[in-house]
Amino acid sequence: MPEYGTGVRQVSIRPGTKILGSLRYLNYKAWFALAEFVDNALQSFLANRERLAAATSGQRLVVRIDVQSGMPGRISIRDNAAGIGAADFQRAFRPAEVPPDATGLSEFGMGMKSAACWFASRWHVRTSALGEPVQRTVRFDIERIVADDIEEVSVEEVPAEAGSHFTEIILEDLHVALAGRTLGKVRDHLRDIYRCFLRDGTLTLEVGGVALAYVEPEVLHAPYYRAPADPPILWRKDIDLDFGGGQTVRGFAALRREGKGAEAGFALFRRNRLIQGSGDEGWKHADVFGSPNSYSHQRLFGELHLDGFEVSHTKDGFRWADEADFAQLLAGKIDEGLLPMLRQAEGHRQNAPRSTMQRSAMSAISATANDMRSHLAAAMPPAADRAATTELLVSALAPSPPALLADSEFSFEFRGAQWTVAVRISDDDGAGDWLEVRDAELIRHGLGGRHLEIWVSSAHPFMTRFAQREPEVVQALVRVAASLGIAEALLRNLRRDDPSAVRRTANELLRDVFSSL
């Protein structure tokens, strides 16, 4: 192919015609497929940084990914890197053609081709290389290439300004649509994959019109849980491991100030590009993090840069010789010395933010009250068990504390009297008990009914450990508390002295009232 000019030229795609047709079946995820295009742009920018700086005033790579949702759909990826020059054109479009320098982010010679074919039936690349006054376009129609066993594709060339430099990839007739939550996940993962380049200002990355920026998690600053009176410590430590044979691991481990399982775990990098642990898929080996319900799963995070380790050809995982050995050595490093981080992760207790507790409490109260309104009257003991009560029980209801997170109340008729049941969740640090039942007979005051208050303390150590953040967990415990409180009041009303009656009644309430969908 001549160096450049105008007209139409050919580029060989041998030996890979059949390979292109099978690439749509790769086990990709959308963010790792898009990352292939960003990798190529970054590699072009980094390899030509000095030339780009001399030719333009900009010192930053800009990659924009635009998405048209809906089928057949369209995705465009455009960058302002150095473009694909004439000398690299044959290699760039031939499958499995390894680049001369495989020490960067583009190393297998398949990234752009495999990702484009995974996404789309038709795609084309338009590029202008720095210092070459020509714009080139290559078009791929995969079904036609495979059906006709095409071994060369045309290169369209038109003149361009000498200072022009960019690459634009257009994916059409998508196999994979990016919309809604999927697009949100793509942003989350790409933000993590390229956090190093976003941090240092090398890269501006936009996805669907949103510029990505990595926000550093807040690190726990607290005393060691076994010495709560000691000064607070910043729970972060450097990691430096040498496995021999040129394999090293460097980075840091830390504990999150607020536990959040979806954002915990390690991010594993090679060449400043994340390979494992992006988005909500942090690397959490059991030999480091223990069981999934451990506090390490919610608090422990960090960044580890691995050198000398091989990665998969889709760059979404490391090819471990012995991942368990790696995890065990890492766990020992994390928990040694003056910062035993795994022990602190499990032992430290901290209330969730009040806004988080309030959202969970309100959700739990609403669902619990709805079930009581719908099912409680039908679950009352049969008439034969409703023994006459000769003594009126009167107790003053204590005033409601100001630390009320959520409450709900409703009324129903029982034994000819009106009952009002209130379920309340507080975050009062002074509440010593997890469950309080306040039961007042109101007949003596001419109100003709019963007022029952069931209080659950969200600040209780039991709740702090198990149920402050997740609405479903809070709801489950509130339902248990409500069943116990109502069982106690009902049995008091029915003059039952059998100690097992509370348990049996609570079991019935949990089954008949609080297990509805």
Side-chain angles (χ1 to χ4, degrees), residues 234-447:
L234 187 68
W235 288 91
R236 185 188 188 281
K237 68 164 58 174
D238 291 335
I239 301 295
D240 191 341
L241 298 171
D242 191 335
F243 290 83
Q247 292 187 327
T248 61
V249 177
R250 292 180 176 84
F252 73 89
L255 299 182
R256 294 178 57 90
R257 186 177 72 84
E258 296 179 11
K260 191 171 184 180
E263 297 180 8
F266 280 97
L268 307 184
F269 293 81
R270 192 189 61 151
R271 302 172 186 173
N272 280 339
R273 192 265 205 194
L274 185 145
I275 302 296
Q276 277 183 258
S278 58
D280 57 357
E281 299 177 356
W283 183 83
K284 294 182 178 181
H285 197 280
D287 286 339
V288 178
F289 288 82
S291 63
N293 62 352
S294 71
Y295 279 90
S296 295
H297 267 262
Q298 298 179 28
R299 290 196 181 277
L300 182 61
F301 77 102
E303 296 181 4
L304 301 175
H305 293 257
L306 284 67
D307 289 329
F309 291 80
E310 294 185 354
V311 300
S312 65
H313 76 280
T314 50
K315 290 181 281 188
D316 58 359
F318 284 93
R319 298 175 61 185
W320 301 100
D322 191 340
E323 187 176 7
D325 182 51
F326 168 78
Q328 289 164 11
L329 288 172
L330 177 61
K333 188 73 172 178
I334 290 171
D335 214 34
E336 71 178 10
L338 299 177
L339 287 176
M341 302 185 73
L342 297 179
R343 281 171 279 176
Q344 175 72 358
E346 293 302 315
H348 178 73
R349 295 294 177 265
Q350 178 171 301
N351 284 335
R354 195 171 197 276
S355 59
T356 300
M357 291 194 294
Q358 195 160 34
R359 284 194 299 269
S360 297
M362 292 175 67
S363 175
I365 284 289
S366 176
T368 302
N370 285 338
D371 276 353
M372 289 195 293
R373 289 188 189 96
S374 302
H375 306 293
L376 187 57
M380 290 295 100
D385 288 342
R386 299 177 185 176
T389 302
T390 58
E391 180 182 352
L392 296 178
L393 301 172
V394 181
S395 64
L397 292 176
S400 300
L404 182 65
L405 287 175
D407 69 333
S408 183
E409 65 178 51
F410 71 101
S411 299
F412 65 93
E413 187 175 327
F414 177 52
R415 293 189 70 245
Q418 195 75 9
W419 283 52
T420 300
V421 177
V423 182
R424 312 191 195 282
I425 302 178
S426 78
D427 62 344
D428 182 7
D429 291 333
D433 294 332
W434 170 65
L435 170 63
E436 291 184 41
V437 179
R438 304 173 187 176
D439 186 5
E441 187 79 55
L442 302 179
I443 296 174
R444 182 171 292 178
H445 302 287
L447 299 177

Side-chain angles (χ1 to χ4, degrees), residues 67-265:
V67 178
Q68 292 182 9
S69 58
M71 300 307 286
R74 184 179 187 271
I75 298 173
S76 68
I77 305 101
R78 183 183 175 98
D79 68 68
N80 65 341
I84 305 173
D88 296 320
F89 233 72
Q90 291 287 349
R91 177 194 58 76
F93 294 98
R94 185 181 296 124
E97 185 79 10
V98 178
D101 180 6
T103 62
L105 298 177
S106 302
E107 57 187 301
F108 297 114
M110 283 296 293
M112 178 181 68
K113 283 85 71 176
S114 60
C117 291
W118 182 82
F119 264 118
S121 297
R122 294 186 300 113
W123 53 277
H124 68 268
V125 178
R126 187 169 64 93
T127 186
S128 181
L130 180 65
E132 298 181 10
V134 62
Q135 176 183 293
R136 300 182 177 91
T137 302
V138 182
R139 303 179 187 276
F140 284 76
D141 184 331
I142 303 304
E143 291 183 3
R144 189 172 68 85
I145 288 172
V146 173
D148 297 343
D149 199 21
I150 295 173
E151 295 186 341
E152 289 185 333
V153 293
S154 297
V155 181
E156 304 167 14
E157 292 187 348
V158 296
E161 294 183 7
S164 176
H165 56 91
F166 69 90
T167 298
E168 181 181 55
I169 302 168
I170 305 294
L171 311 174
E172 299 176 291
D173 291 344
L174 301 182
H175 309 309
V176 181
L178 300 183
R181 295 181 63 185
T182 301
L183 185 57
K185 290 195 69 172
V186 165
R187 291 189 181 109
D188 291 342
H189 284 269
L190 291 180
R191 180 185 297 118
D192 281 349
I193 290 171
Y194 297 104
R195 68 176 72 167
C196 293
F197 301 101
L198 294 171
R199 275 186 188 132
D200 67 14
T202 298
L203 172 65
T204 293
L205 179 57
E206 295 182 8
V207 180
V210 177
L212 306 186
Y214 182 73
V215 178
E216 306 290 342
E218 290 187 66
V219 176
L220 179 65
H221 188 239
Y224 184 38
Y225 80 100
R226 289 183 176 174
D230 285 359
I233 303 168
L234 187 68
W235 288 91
R236 185 188 188 281
K237 68 164 58 174
D238 291 335
I239 301 295
D240 191 341
L241 298 171
D242 191 335
F243 290 83
Q247 292 187 327
T248 61
V249 177
R250 292 180 176 84
F252 73 89
L255 299 182
R256 294 178 57 90
R257 186 177 72 84
E258 296 179 11
K260 191 171 184 180
E263 297 180 8

Side-chain angles (χ1 to χ4, degrees), residues 37-63 79-84 88 104-106 130 165-167 197-198 200-204:
F37 305 117
V38 183
D39 282 351
N40 287 347
L42 264 168
Q43 185 58 37
S44 172
F45 180 83
L46 296 173
N48 296 278
R49 199 164 195 167
E50 292 184 3
R51 293 178 59 220
L52 287 166
T56 64
S57 59
Q59 296 289 322
R60 182 186 294 244
L61 171 66
V62 179
V63 180
D79 68 68
N80 65 341
I84 305 173
D88 296 320
L105 298 177
S106 302
L130 180 65
H165 56 91
F166 69 90
T167 298
F197 301 101
L198 294 171
D200 67 14
T202 298
L203 172 65
T204 293

